Amino acid sequence: MPELPEVETVRRRLEPVLVGRTFEYVDIHDARLVRPHEPAEVAAELFGERVSAVERRGKYLIVRFESGRALLIHLRMTGGLNHDAAHGRRGSLQDDPHRRAVVRLENGSDVAYRDVRRFGTWLLLEPGELEPYLASRVGPEPLGPGFTTAYLHGRLAGRAAPLKAAVLDQRTVAGLGNIYADEALWRARLDPRRPAGGLSTREVADLRRGIRAALRRGIAKQGADLGDGVYASGSMQDEFNVYGRGGEPCRRCGTIIAKTRLAGRGTSFCPACQAASSGSSRPSRSRSRSSS
Ligand SMILES: [Zn+2]
């Protein structure tokens, strides 16, 4: 499932393709994509819109138009957007049974949206609707200035839910999903099963740092390619520390990575260097538990 680094990778690829271009024709083949609106109506509304920016908030991709409208795209499980600069000429797209929509630009190239599991959504918002829509759904960008230790501490305070569940809440950490949550908790040496409200200020600072480092690494590797064909060039999967590594040795201490389920999600962690502990008795960074 695309998370912040994967969506950011898609955004960076689309930005030079779309900015300044006009939607000449839009064909939406799958009614689920724009539900409850009619595909033909949404397509007609998009006709003639000129792109002013391609942005991202959390896992949302935002195509802003000069009219002030915005197309809010959520890739959900398997959505993806493809544009081949060399071969993206009109009519040259290869057959794809999972294609759900095609946007034809005025320069003659096509951008195709494909989605194997069909959970992705497109929502066309009128001027002024985007910010309130996002404000109720996503918290501050974890790589932005608003994602401070004090903010994160405030969000986690008093919560009995497991830490893993708490950081998956998009209003707490915009864009974090199952993969980067596990990676961030490993980096922060925090047990994903701990009650979220029980962290010390220092542990919250470690968590914030772990989240930011995991996401930055993911962006640098152009996201993860998990074999669903959506992100062809990402290589983050080659250096996961815990995600998908249950039964393999921890890269930090050699202990076998454990797997459990938290909040309905598969969760991988190192039972030694992410051992549950109270804030005060926790070993320091320099004295790790690697010998245990
Ligand atoms: Zn370990």
Side-chain angles (χ1 to χ4, degrees):
M1 179 172 178
E3 303 181 23
L4 188 154
E6 287 77 28
V7 179
E8 178 63 19
T9 300
V10 172
R11 189 199 72 75
R12 290 179 181 187
R13 287 179 193 161
L14 279 181
E15 187 174 45
V17 169
L18 287 180
V19 171
R21 296 296 172 197
T22 300
F23 282 22
E24 188 183 74
Y25 179 72
V26 180
D27 188 5
I28 298 169
H29 326 318
D30 187 346
R32 281 177 62 164
L33 190 59
V34 293
R35 200 165 52 181
H37 304 287
E38 286 296 320
E41 285 176 19
V42 175
E45 291 290 334
L46 287 168
F47 169 79
E49 291 285 356
R50 190 172 145 101
V51 179
S52 60
V54 181
E55 300 172 359
R56 180 195 55 72
R57 274 288 280 122
K59 300 177 194 171
Y60 288 99
L61 200 59
I62 303 163
V63 181
R64 286 188 186 268
F65 300 112
E66 289 178 355
S67 65
R69 289 166 139 188
L71 178 63
L72 190 62
I73 298 175
H74 201 304
L75 305 174
R76 299 289 171 194
M77 301 293 285
T78 55
L81 286 143
N82 304 308
H83 175 271
D84 189 325
H87 304 289
R89 295 284 140 188
R90 182 168 312 168
S92 71
L93 284 172
Q94 293 186 340
D95 286 341
D96 180 356
H98 302 300
R99 187 177 304 142
R100 308 299 174 196
V102 176
V103 174
R104 291 181 181 163
L105 304 173
E106 100 290 349
N107 67 347
S109 67
D110 292 338
V111 173
Y113 176 81
R114 83 188 299 266
D115 193 344
V116 175
R117 297 193 57 186
R118 302 171 62 211
F119 288 110
T121 55
W122 284 20
L123 178 63
L124 180 60
L125 293 168
E126 296 300 320
E129 290 182 345
L130 177 67
E131 281 70 23
Y133 185 94
L134 291 174
S136 64
R137 289 169 174 81
V138 289
E141 284 295 309
L143 298 177
F147 190 70
T148 61
T149 299
Y151 159 80
L152 187 56
H153 211 172
R155 286 291 309 181
L156 301 178
R159 296 187 63 171
L163 195 46
K164 171 69 179 282
V167 298
L168 288 177
D169 182 344
Q170 296 301 294
R171 290 163 298 178
T172 299
V173 192
L176 203 65
N178 209 36
I179 294 174
Y180 295 93
D182 281 3
E183 294 295 312
L185 290 169
W186 182 86
R187 285 173 180 265
R189 300 175 185 245
L190 291 168
D191 189 319
R193 300 167 296 183
R194 284 179 62 181
L199 268 59
S200 68
T201 302
R202 188 183 141 182
E203 287 173 321
V204 175
D206 288 345
L207 175 60
R208 172 181 172 275
R209 236 185 335 263
I211 290 169
R212 289 162 64 95
L215 293 174
R216 282 211 178 97
R217 191 67 192 153
I219 291 171
K221 304 304 286 185
Q222 298 185 47
D225 182 351
L226 299 181
D228 53 13
V230 177
Y231 311 108
S233 66
S235 59
M236 188 60 209
Q237 69 281 359
D238 296 335
E239 52 179 78
F240 286 150
N241 291 300
V242 278
Y243 180 83
R245 297 193 66 241
E248 295 176 41
C250 173
R251 299 196 202 280
R252 195 159 49 203
C253 74
T255 304
I256 299 301
I257 299 295
K259 254 202 108 168
T260 185
R261 277 188 93 73
L262 287 171
R265 310 296 299 276
T267 299
S268 303
F269 64 103
C270 174
C273 58
Q274 290 175 260
S277 61
S278 70
S280 55
S281 64
R282 191 164 164 271
S284 71
R285 289 177 160 266
S286 55
R287 291 180 289 112
S288 76
R289 295 183 168 186
S290 57
S291 59
S292 62

